[in-house]
Amino acid sequence: MSDILTKLTYQTFQQGKNYFALGHKALSAELKKLVSPSKSSLKPISANLLLNLQNRLNTLLEIDWQDAEDGVYPKSLLFDNSWEDFFRYYPMVWLDAPQVWERSQQQKYQDFSSEVNTEGYPSYYLQNFHNQTNGYLSDLSANLYDLQVEILFGGSTDAMRRRILAPLKQELQAFADISPRQIKVLDVACGTGRTLKLMRSTLPEASLFGTDLSPAYLRKANETLSQIPGELPQLVNGNAEELAYLDDYFHAVTSVFLFHELPGVARQNVIEQCFRVTKPGGSFIICDSIQTSDSPEFEEMMDNFHATFHEPYYRHYMSDNLVERLEKAGFVNIETQVHFASKYWIAHKPK
């Protein structure tokens, strides 16, 4: 009976987040028409497509529950939500919205305030991704990011992130002969540390590492991760095209929502770096957006995402063959999965 009640509570919690996100987006769209009117170039989404999307979301949530039921991670993780951050930063989302709308309308995609230091970053990174104020280079952006993507994906972002945990736990069985405390896992482009926080619940004793190009996001990650039990993950500021780690160092490497924000050459460079730092017999797990090859029925929706949010490399990503890129780097036995709006690659480095 307790499991049934817990599942119903989880479903209600997720449904509430979904309704809240839909309401926010509907209100935001109406206010945008008043404050920053512009001619829409978005393609209409059919009722059948929306129904398909809802069915995919329901399937994702069922898998999320089942993984918790199977002990991949504790059920408490299903309800992990930073209410303090929500009440503190949700008003700021609205206060920042007029700047986002204006930036989008005027196509000011490399718009950074004078207080932000943009020196030393690759040119492809100096973008207002999602039309965010100061891109990924300010503390405000870091504080709003998790809330913004939760609204974008209807409260399902963590459920999509958690889809890397079951394969990660399974792949690490290849190193079952060593102590769990000796296991080392790297999250590339760790951002605010949300994935590392989820990972800690699955791997309570492992040594976790994170690297990101944004000092502001790493500050947020450190704030988030210092509040949870267990050894604090080691965070490093750096470019994923030049990972600051030894060869064959990690038993597993992960990356969540990075590759659609990289140009093709950088994508390949990052994959090759991940291959270099992964131990023989180890694995590399990617979570990112769906692509046209696996979800052609959602192509119009993906085109709308490209048009609505400033994602300059997304159109190329939609048709990019990451399996081919992974194989070129040396990975083998590559498995792919699709859950809701996300796609996963599970690649292995030969022993």
Side-chain angles (χ1 to χ4, degrees), residues 259-280:
F259 283 89
H260 72 279
E261 293 189 340
L262 296 175
V265 172
R267 245 175 253 148
Q268 188 65 46
N269 290 341
V270 172
I271 288 173
E272 290 176 0
Q273 282 290 298
C274 291
F275 181 84
R276 178 183 66 78
V277 302
T278 301
K279 285 182 179 291

Side-chain angles (χ1 to χ4, degrees), residues 72 164-186 199-208 249-254 278-285 346-348 351:
V72 176
I164 72 166
L165 299 181
L168 175 62
K169 195 172 184 178
Q170 180 180 344
E171 295 301 326
L172 287 174
Q173 289 300 310
F175 302 99
D177 58 330
I178 68 172
S179 166
R181 293 185 63 83
Q182 292 179 299
I183 294 293
K184 297 187 289 292
V185 180
L186 170 67
M199 204 181 291
R200 176 54 80 206
S201 295
T202 300
L203 305 171
E205 296 184 271
S207 294
L208 302 182
Y249 191 69
F250 296 101
H251 299 89
V253 177
T254 62
T278 301
K279 285 182 179 291
S283 57
F284 178 35
I285 302 174
I346 303 159
H348 304 87
K351 292 184 179 180

Side-chain angles (χ1 to χ4, degrees), residues 75-321:
K75 289 177 182 175
S76 60
L77 203 64
L78 300 174
F79 303 96
D80 182 47
N81 197 75
S82 179
W83 294 110
E84 181 181 348
D85 273 11
F86 173 81
F87 289 113
R88 182 178 179 184
Y89 297 120
Y90 183 63
M92 294 186 184
V93 171
W94 284 111
L95 291 173
D96 190 48
Q99 297 181 65
V100 173
W101 299 334
E102 181 183 5
R103 191 176 299 111
S104 175
Q105 185 179 40
Q106 298 182 5
Q107 298 185 352
K108 296 166 64 178
Y109 297 138
Q110 289 82 37
D111 180 30
F112 293 88
S113 68
S114 58
E115 293 82 16
V116 173
N117 182 4
T118 58
E119 293 182 9
Y121 295 100
S123 58
Y124 63 77
Y125 191 69
L126 297 177
Q127 307 280 346
N128 298 106
F129 292 104
H130 309 169
N131 298 306
Q132 289 183 144
T133 300
N134 291 320
Y136 291 138
L137 294 179
S138 75
D139 291 313
L140 176 63
S141 172
N143 285 325
L144 299 185
Y145 176 80
D146 286 327
L147 181 53
Q148 289 172 326
V149 294
E150 273 290 88
I151 292 171
L152 172 62
F153 289 114
S156 67
T157 312
D158 275 349
M160 289 191 288
R161 286 191 181 112
R162 284 194 287 267
R163 300 284 59 73
I164 72 166
L165 299 181
L168 175 62
K169 195 172 184 178
Q170 180 180 344
E171 295 301 326
L172 287 174
Q173 289 300 310
F175 302 99
D177 58 330
I178 68 172
S179 166
R181 293 185 63 83
Q182 292 179 299
I183 294 293
K184 297 187 289 292
V185 180
L186 170 67
D187 188 38
V188 175
C190 65
T192 64
R194 190 68 186 168
T195 301
L196 285 168
K197 183 180 181 183
L198 300 175
M199 204 181 291
R200 176 54 80 206
S201 295
T202 300
L203 305 171
E205 296 184 271
S207 294
L208 302 182
F209 297 73
T211 184
D212 200 272
L213 196 49
S214 169
Y217 275 62
L218 287 176
R219 283 193 291 272
K220 182 65 176 179
N222 189 64
E223 175 189 321
T224 298
L225 297 170
S226 63
Q227 297 172 7
I228 61 174
E231 180 183 327
L232 188 66
Q234 299 180 38
L235 305 179
V236 172
N237 184 206
N239 190 335
E241 292 187 80
E242 299 175 352
L243 291 175
Y245 303 100
L246 298 173
D247 295 358
D248 306 333
Y249 191 69
F250 296 101
H251 299 89
V253 177
T254 62
S255 183
V256 177
F257 301 143
L258 166 66
F259 283 89
H260 72 279
E261 293 189 340
L262 296 175
V265 172
R267 245 175 253 148
Q268 188 65 46
N269 290 341
V270 172
I271 288 173
E272 290 176 0
Q273 282 290 298
C274 291
F275 181 84
R276 178 183 66 78
V277 302
T278 301
K279 285 182 179 291
S283 57
F284 178 35
I285 302 174
I286 299 171
C287 163
D288 215 296
S289 167
I290 52 175
Q291 296 181 298
T292 50
S293 60
D294 53 79
S295 305
E297 69 274 25
F298 291 111
E299 186 171 1
E300 288 185 352
M301 185 183 73
M302 288 185 269
D303 281 337
N304 283 351
F305 177 74
H306 168 76
T308 305
F309 299 90
H310 178 57
E311 291 284 4
Y313 315 111
Y314 187 77
R315 189 176 292 278
H316 181 267
Y317 165 86
M318 285 168 56
S319 60
D320 197 12
N321 190 335

